[in-house]
Amino acid sequence: MIDSSIENVIGALALAFADILQRDAQAKAPEPGPAASAITLIGHVPGLSIERLRRALSLSHSGTVRLVDRLVAEGLAARFSAPDDHRAVALRLTPLGETTCSAILSARQKGLASALAVLSQEELQEFGNLAAKLLRGLVSTEDHAYRICRLCNYTACIDCPVEAELA
Amino acid sequence: MIDSSIENVIGALALAFADILQRDAQAKAPEPGPAASAITLIGHVPGLSIERLRRALSLSHSGTVRLVDRLVAEGLAARFSAPDDHRAVALRLTPLGETTCSAILSARQKGLASALAVLSQEELQEFGNLAAKLLRGLVSTEDHAYRICRLCNYTACIDCPVEAELA
DNA sequence: AAAAATATATGCTCGGAGCATATACATCAA
DNA sequence: TTGATGTATATGCTCCGAGCATATATTTTT
């Protein structure tokens, strides 16, 4: 294959996979948009501040505050004051939020797994290795890492290449 | 790597790539959101109807009509009546639209290429082959194919696996 | 102690997106 | 041919998420 064709194919696949991930994740979230990512991020990093969440979601301040308002109103998340910085608001999931988070992650996993099912075990390993290498090349800052991993299932991620690259 | 880790890595990479594609594409588009995809799709398929565009973008009727209204108002696209079906509106790009389309596609290509630069030529080929196999497994309908290829540079796509799978 | 930087909250407004509906054309059945 | 159903487009209305500007609280720096 010619390089330009390869780029097209990889780009198209990335869009298709991202579509699947977001569709499946949003289906279990209380609203479309960044809510699903917000829930899984708070689940991933309990005590996350609104500002860090904002950077991970690439939203404005006010947009993030309003999103958190809605999550709190729906009983999925709770604010509490951060112990180290009294300006900051720390976020955590409620038990209902944890349930929702699990539902989002398992829906996400299911769709992805079925898309990957056409590969043999060896092909999957090879693809995963190359993907990990690409991912390591992409990570820049810690904020960016949170953004990249915004829909990851952290309990299932052994030897996360993003983490490895940052360390 | 464990399968669940591989899935996380691949999912994260897909999101990261999709972010890059959409960021670069939108930077050259007249507005954020689906406008960039709409422009490249119309460029790809001159005479495309609003209904087909709607399905490729996963929008509502009215949302698509308004989007086209805006593109026409900005001088990027034009409506003309479809020769075969007098209900339908056919779309084409204006010369200005063509210029914008090229800018979107080359910006998209540039960002993607730099993300892929960490791979050797052999790795890139291997990754592309596996991506093509995955892509063929994903394509279902023709509408879906348009959606998947919504940001592709069709002039640079030799032996498109999506096309091959549909045929 | 004052000044600058950082984190959050809120009033205001804008604009994209959907719903409901209207109109035009096509297709199929009788 | 005519009438009924389905499909394609257009538009009034409304909702709601997102950003901007601004206010307040806390931390950090000078």
Side-chain angles (χ1 to χ4, degrees), chain A residues 17 20 22 26 36 40 45 84 93 95 114 118 122 133 158:
Chain A
F17 272 19
I20 292 174
Q22 296 190 359
Q26 289 185 6
T40 57
V45 190
D84 52 324
L93 294 182
S114 90
V118 298
E122 296 74 37
K133 183 169 185 178
I158 317 298

Side-chain angles (χ1 to χ4, degrees), chain B residues 90-147:
Chain B
L91 301 171
R92 63 172 174 80
L93 293 182
T94 63
L96 179 57
E98 299 279 4
T99 306
T100 305
C101 183
S102 301
I104 291 170
L105 290 177
S106 70
R108 184 210 83 119
Q109 194 272 338
K110 203 174 159 194
L112 196 49
S114 89
L116 290 171
V118 297
L119 295 187
S120 71
Q121 188 59 35
E122 296 74 36
E123 289 173 326
L124 183 63
Q125 289 285 338
E126 177 65 13
F127 195 72
N129 286 336
L130 292 171
K133 184 169 184 179
L134 286 167
L135 206 48
R136 282 197 301 273
L138 281 181
V139 185
S140 50
T141 66
E142 192 178 347
D143 284 332
H144 189 209
Y146 281 136
R147 172 155 192 83

Side-chain angles (χ1 to χ4, degrees), chain A:
Chain A
M1 264 199 293
I2 304 173
D3 279 16
S4 60
S5 289
I6 298 182
E7 280 163 7
N8 267 333
V9 169
I10 292 173
L13 184 68
L15 280 182
F17 272 19
D19 278 355
I20 292 174
L21 289 182
Q22 296 190 359
R23 166 174 54 82
D24 293 344
Q26 289 185 6
K28 302 294 180 179
E31 64 180 51
S37 304
I39 292 169
T40 57
L41 272 169
I42 298 171
H44 188 156
V45 190
L48 189 73
S49 76
I50 288 186
E51 173 60 17
R52 270 190 110 57
L53 181 64
R54 182 194 81 75
R55 288 199 284 258
L57 298 178
S58 295
L59 285 181
S60 67
H61 263 302
S62 49
T64 314
V65 170
R66 299 274 153 70
L67 172 58
V68 170
D69 286 347
R70 272 170 272 145
L71 294 180
V72 170
E74 309 212 38
L76 298 168
R79 289 175 160 99
F80 64 100
S81 81
D84 52 324
D85 188 334
H86 284 189
R87 294 169 302 181
V89 164
L91 301 170
R92 61 172 176 80
L93 294 182
T94 62
L96 180 59
E98 298 279 2
T99 306
T100 305
C101 183
S102 299
I104 291 170
L105 290 177
S106 71
R108 183 210 84 119
Q109 194 272 338
K110 204 175 156 191
L112 197 50
S114 90
L116 291 171
V118 298
L119 295 188
S120 71
Q121 187 60 34
E122 296 74 37
E123 288 173 328
L124 184 62
Q125 289 285 338
E126 177 66 13
F127 195 71
N129 287 334
L130 292 171
K133 183 169 185 178
L134 286 167
L135 206 48
R136 282 196 302 271
L138 282 180
V139 184
S140 50
T141 65
E142 191 177 349
D143 284 332
H144 188 212
Y146 281 136
R147 171 154 192 85
I148 288 179
C149 296
R150 66 191 188 272
L151 278 177
C152 277
N153 184 351
Y154 58 101
T155 62
C157 202
I158 317 298
D159 292 332
C160 169
V162 172
E163 218 168 281
E165 183 67 21
L166 277 182

